mmCIF file of all heavy atoms in Angstrom:
data_model
loop_
_atom_site.group_PDB
_atom_site.id
_atom_site.type_symbol
_atom_site.label_atom_id
_atom_site.label_comp_id
_atom_site.label_asym_id
_atom_site.label_seq_id
_atom_site.Cartn_x
_atom_site.Cartn_y
_atom_site.Cartn_z
ATOM 1 N N THR F 12 0.218 -30.740 20.019
ATOM 2 C CA THR F 12 -0.370 -31.011 18.719
ATOM 3 C C THR F 12 0.623 -31.775 17.863
ATOM 4 O O THR F 12 1.805 -31.431 17.802
ATOM 5 C CB THR F 12 -0.733 -29.694 18.012
ATOM 6 O OG1 THR F 12 -1.595 -28.957 18.862
ATOM 7 C CG2 THR F 12 -1.427 -29.946 16.701
ATOM 8 N N ASP F 13 0.140 -32.787 17.217
ATOM 9 C CA ASP F 13 0.962 -33.537 16.277
ATOM 10 C C ASP F 13 1.225 -32.633 15.072
ATOM 11 O O ASP F 13 0.273 -32.080 14.505
ATOM 12 C CB ASP F 13 0.209 -34.796 15.852
ATOM 13 C CG ASP F 13 1.011 -35.673 14.901
ATOM 14 O OD1 ASP F 13 2.024 -35.201 14.346
ATOM 15 O OD2 ASP F 13 0.620 -36.834 14.717
ATOM 16 N N PRO F 14 2.481 -32.461 14.661
ATOM 17 C CA PRO F 14 2.780 -31.594 13.510
ATOM 18 C C PRO F 14 1.991 -31.946 12.256
ATOM 19 O O PRO F 14 1.708 -31.091 11.442
ATOM 20 C CB PRO F 14 4.278 -31.788 13.284
ATOM 21 C CG PRO F 14 4.813 -32.248 14.606
ATOM 22 C CD PRO F 14 3.689 -33.023 15.254
ATOM 23 N N ALA F 15 1.581 -33.187 12.120
ATOM 24 C CA ALA F 15 0.807 -33.590 10.940
ATOM 25 C C ALA F 15 -0.601 -32.986 10.966
ATOM 26 O O ALA F 15 -1.254 -32.878 9.941
ATOM 27 C CB ALA F 15 0.723 -35.110 10.871
ATOM 28 N N ASP F 16 -1.074 -32.594 12.164
ATOM 29 C CA ASP F 16 -2.418 -32.026 12.308
ATOM 30 C C ASP F 16 -2.459 -30.520 12.115
ATOM 31 O O ASP F 16 -3.538 -29.932 12.107
ATOM 32 C CB ASP F 16 -2.988 -32.340 13.703
ATOM 33 C CG ASP F 16 -3.194 -33.836 13.906
ATOM 34 O OD1 ASP F 16 -3.343 -34.550 12.893
ATOM 35 O OD2 ASP F 16 -3.194 -34.269 15.063
ATOM 36 N N VAL F 17 -1.314 -29.873 11.981
ATOM 37 C CA VAL F 17 -1.264 -28.416 11.866
ATOM 38 C C VAL F 17 -1.539 -28.005 10.433
ATOM 39 O O VAL F 17 -0.925 -28.520 9.495
ATOM 40 C CB VAL F 17 0.115 -27.874 12.326
ATOM 41 C CG1 VAL F 17 0.205 -26.383 12.106
ATOM 42 C CG2 VAL F 17 0.353 -28.224 13.786
ATOM 43 N N GLU F 18 -2.490 -27.087 10.277
ATOM 44 C CA GLU F 18 -2.798 -26.574 8.939
ATOM 45 C C GLU F 18 -1.701 -25.623 8.484
ATOM 46 O O GLU F 18 -1.087 -24.939 9.294
ATOM 47 C CB GLU F 18 -4.121 -25.812 8.964
ATOM 48 C CG GLU F 18 -5.321 -26.681 9.214
ATOM 49 C CD GLU F 18 -6.591 -25.866 9.207
ATOM 50 O OE1 GLU F 18 -6.708 -24.943 8.376
ATOM 51 O OE2 GLU F 18 -7.456 -26.142 10.037
ATOM 52 N N GLY F 19 -1.484 -25.551 7.197
ATOM 53 C CA GLY F 19 -0.519 -24.613 6.648
ATOM 54 C C GLY F 19 -1.025 -23.184 6.738
ATOM 55 O O GLY F 19 -2.194 -22.938 7.012
ATOM 56 N N LEU F 20 -0.149 -22.257 6.537
ATOM 57 C CA LEU F 20 -0.500 -20.836 6.549
ATOM 58 C C LEU F 20 -0.446 -20.310 5.116
ATOM 59 O O LEU F 20 0.405 -19.517 4.753
ATOM 60 C CB LEU F 20 0.458 -20.046 7.451
ATOM 61 C CG LEU F 20 0.379 -20.346 8.943
ATOM 62 C CD1 LEU F 20 1.461 -19.587 9.692
ATOM 63 C CD2 LEU F 20 -0.988 -19.976 9.489
ATOM 64 N N GLU F 21 -1.388 -20.794 4.299
ATOM 65 C CA GLU F 21 -1.428 -20.407 2.897
ATOM 66 C C GLU F 21 -1.521 -18.892 2.735
ATOM 67 O O GLU F 21 -1.042 -18.318 1.761
ATOM 68 C CB GLU F 21 -2.608 -21.054 2.162
ATOM 69 C CG GLU F 21 -2.578 -22.553 2.102
ATOM 70 C CD GLU F 21 -3.112 -23.227 3.360
ATOM 71 O OE1 GLU F 21 -3.880 -22.584 4.108
ATOM 72 O OE2 GLU F 21 -2.726 -24.371 3.613
ATOM 73 N N GLU F 22 -2.158 -18.245 3.729
ATOM 74 C CA GLU F 22 -2.331 -16.795 3.663
ATOM 75 C C GLU F 22 -0.990 -16.073 3.585
ATOM 76 O O GLU F 22 -0.870 -15.048 2.928
ATOM 77 C CB GLU F 22 -3.112 -16.279 4.890
ATOM 78 C CG GLU F 22 -4.509 -16.821 5.014
ATOM 79 C CD GLU F 22 -4.573 -18.134 5.802
ATOM 80 O OE1 GLU F 22 -3.522 -18.673 6.162
ATOM 81 O OE2 GLU F 22 -5.680 -18.613 6.030
ATOM 82 N N LEU F 23 0.028 -16.615 4.253
ATOM 83 C CA LEU F 23 1.346 -15.967 4.220
ATOM 84 C C LEU F 23 1.897 -15.908 2.807
ATOM 85 O O LEU F 23 2.433 -14.895 2.381
ATOM 86 C CB LEU F 23 2.341 -16.694 5.130
ATOM 87 C CG LEU F 23 2.198 -16.448 6.621
ATOM 88 C CD1 LEU F 23 3.189 -17.307 7.399
ATOM 89 C CD2 LEU F 23 2.391 -14.990 6.953
ATOM 90 N N GLY F 24 1.758 -16.997 2.079
ATOM 91 C CA GLY F 24 2.253 -17.039 0.710
ATOM 92 C C GLY F 24 1.452 -16.168 -0.238
ATOM 93 O O GLY F 24 1.923 -15.801 -1.304
ATOM 94 N N SER F 25 0.231 -15.821 0.169
ATOM 95 C CA SER F 25 -0.640 -15.013 -0.680
ATOM 96 C C SER F 25 -0.514 -13.514 -0.415
ATOM 97 O O SER F 25 -1.122 -12.708 -1.118
ATOM 98 C CB SER F 25 -2.100 -15.432 -0.470
ATOM 99 O OG SER F 25 -2.260 -16.782 -0.824
ATOM 100 N N LEU F 26 0.234 -13.133 0.609
ATOM 101 C CA LEU F 26 0.406 -11.706 0.893
ATOM 102 C C LEU F 26 1.250 -11.063 -0.196
ATOM 103 O O LEU F 26 2.163 -11.685 -0.745
ATOM 104 C CB LEU F 26 1.067 -11.508 2.258
ATOM 105 C CG LEU F 26 0.244 -11.931 3.465
ATOM 106 C CD1 LEU F 26 1.066 -11.756 4.743
ATOM 107 C CD2 LEU F 26 -1.050 -11.166 3.555
ATOM 108 N N GLN F 27 0.938 -9.831 -0.507
ATOM 109 C CA GLN F 27 1.672 -9.088 -1.525
ATOM 110 C C GLN F 27 2.925 -8.501 -0.862
ATOM 111 O O GLN F 27 2.822 -7.615 -0.028
ATOM 112 C CB GLN F 27 0.807 -7.959 -2.090
ATOM 113 C CG GLN F 27 -0.512 -8.414 -2.678
ATOM 114 C CD GLN F 27 -0.305 -9.315 -3.871
ATOM 115 O OE1 GLN F 27 0.443 -8.979 -4.775
ATOM 116 N NE2 GLN F 27 -0.942 -10.452 -3.877
ATOM 117 N N GLY F 28 4.093 -9.008 -1.210
ATOM 118 C CA GLY F 28 5.341 -8.551 -0.603
ATOM 119 C C GLY F 28 5.521 -7.055 -0.685
ATOM 120 O O GLY F 28 6.031 -6.416 0.241
#
Side-chain angles (χ1 to χ4, degrees):
T12 304
D13 182 345
D16 295 336
V17 176
E18 292 181 39
L20 293 175
E21 297 82 22
E22 298 89 355
L23 284 176
S25 299
L26 293 176
Q27 303 297 310

